[in-house]
Amino acid sequence: MIMLLGLDSQFVGVEGFVTAMVDTFPEYLHGGYRREAFIAAVAVLSFFLGLPMVSEGGLYLFYLWDYYAASGMTLLWFCFFECIAISWIYGANRFYDNIAMMIGFRIFPWIKICWLFLTPLMTGGIFLFSIISFKPLYIKNSFFTYEYPLWGQAIGLVFAIVSMIQIPIYVVYAFITTPGTLYERWVKLTTPVLKPHQLRQQDMPSHDYMPTHLPLITEKEPALLAYYKPADGVALRTTHVIN
C-alpha cells in the first residue's frame, strides 16, 4: 500500500510537469516516442535528485527542502498567481464554460466565486501572514532537535527564491520583448488565444472584422487563421482545412 501511495503521488507531479512542457514545446516533444523518452529522463533525473535525501544526513536536507521550497509561502505564491491568471485573465466564465463542455454539465457556480474572490484573498492573505510571521527552520520532535546554521537557512531561502522569482522575471521579459505601447503590450499579453476545441458559441469569430495584422498560423495540422473579436477581447484560432 505504501508503494502504491508513493507511485500515485509521483504521477501527479511528473504528469503535471511533463504535460506543461509538452504543451509548451510540442514541436520537440510530440510525435514518436519523444514524450515517453522525456518522461523517462524526468524520472531518472528526479531519482538522482532524491538520492541525497535518503542518505545518512538526508533527513536534514529533506526538512530544508520541504520547509522552504515545497510548501508554505512558495506554494501559496504560485496558487495566488495561478488563480489570478485563470479567473481574471483567461476568464472565470470562460473556464467555467470549458469545464461544462468537457464533462457535459455545469458544476455548482459557487466554485466560480471561489476562483474569483475567495481563493485569491485567502492565498494572498495567508502568504502575507507567513511572510510577517516567518521563523527560521527549527526541528524539534520526540527524536531529536536541531537548529540550522545561518548558511543552511541561506540555502533554504535560495531554494524558495529561485522558484518564486520565475513569475516576475517572465512578466518583465514579456513586457520588454512585446512590441507596442505599455497599454498595447498589456492588452496583447492578457488576451487569451483560443484553439478550436476551446471555443464557445459566443466566441465564434465575426467575419466582418478580420484585421490584417494577425498573421496566418501554420502548424502540422490544417492551417489556422487568427481572428480578433473586440467585444470579447479574445484572439481566436479557427480551423480552415486547406485541400
Side-chain angles (χ1 to χ4, degrees):
M1 186 183 75
I2 294 177
M3 187 190 316
L4 292 176
L5 180 63
L7 287 174
D8 182 63
S9 301
Q10 286 299 310
F11 275 121
V12 176
V14 173
E15 278 299 317
F17 173 72
V18 168
T19 301
M21 296 302 294
V22 170
D23 290 345
T24 304
F25 305 104
E27 64 275 17
Y28 301 110
L29 299 175
H30 265 306
Y33 293 96
R34 283 179 284 183
R35 177 187 170 91
E36 288 76 7
F38 181 65
I39 294 174
V42 171
V44 171
L45 179 62
S46 300
F47 171 77
F48 283 107
L49 288 176
L51 276 181
M53 297 188 186
V54 296
S55 63
E56 186 174 353
L59 184 63
Y60 300 98
L61 180 60
F62 173 78
Y63 270 111
L64 194 66
W65 181 272
D66 180 67
Y67 186 79
Y68 286 102
S71 60
M73 59 182 180
T74 307
L75 189 60
L76 291 168
W77 172 269
F78 282 102
C79 288
F80 174 79
F81 284 104
E82 181 180 359
C83 195
I84 293 297
I86 292 175
S87 58
W88 290 97
I89 297 179
Y90 181 75
N93 290 329
R94 185 175 295 113
F95 189 59
Y96 186 74
D97 292 339
N98 290 155
I99 294 176
M101 292 163 59
M102 289 186 286
I103 64 178
F105 62 91
R106 292 188 176 277
I107 58 177
F108 191 61
W110 167 255
I111 194 69
K112 187 163 58 174
I113 299 175
C114 294
W115 296 336
L116 286 167
F117 306 109
L118 294 183
T119 303
L121 286 174
M122 291 184 65
T123 53
I126 297 174
F127 173 78
L128 291 176
F129 179 78
S130 64
I131 293 294
I132 295 172
S133 60
F134 173 78
K135 294 180 180 179
L137 176 60
Y138 178 77
I139 303 175
K140 184 176 182 180
N141 53 41
S142 57
F143 299 101
F144 68 98
T145 58
Y146 181 74
E147 183 175 358
Y148 283 80
L150 185 60
W151 62 267
Q153 303 288 351
I155 292 175
L157 289 174
V158 169
F159 285 162
I161 293 172
V162 164
S163 58
M164 295 170 64
I165 203 173
Q166 302 304 315
I167 294 178
I169 284 179
Y170 186 78
V171 169
V172 173
Y173 168 79
F175 267 95
I176 292 175
T177 57
T178 302
T181 64
L182 190 62
Y183 176 75
E184 290 172 342
R185 296 178 189 184
W186 172 257
V187 171
K188 185 174 182 179
L189 292 173
T190 56
T191 299
V193 177
L194 304 182
K195 295 182 179 179
H197 67 278
Q198 298 170 318
L199 297 180
R200 306 168 297 171
Q201 186 64 37
Q202 58 267 42
D203 291 328
M204 293 304 175
S206 172
H207 293 272
D208 297 330
Y209 184 83
M210 293 173 55
T212 57
H213 69 277
L214 291 176
L216 182 69
I217 303 170
T218 57
E219 299 179 3
K220 293 182 180 179
E221 57 191 42
L224 298 176
L225 184 61
Y227 292 94
Y228 184 75
K229 189 177 181 183
D232 289 334
V234 57
L236 306 177
R237 292 179 179 177
T238 57
T239 305
H240 296 264
V241 179
I242 297 179
N243 296 322

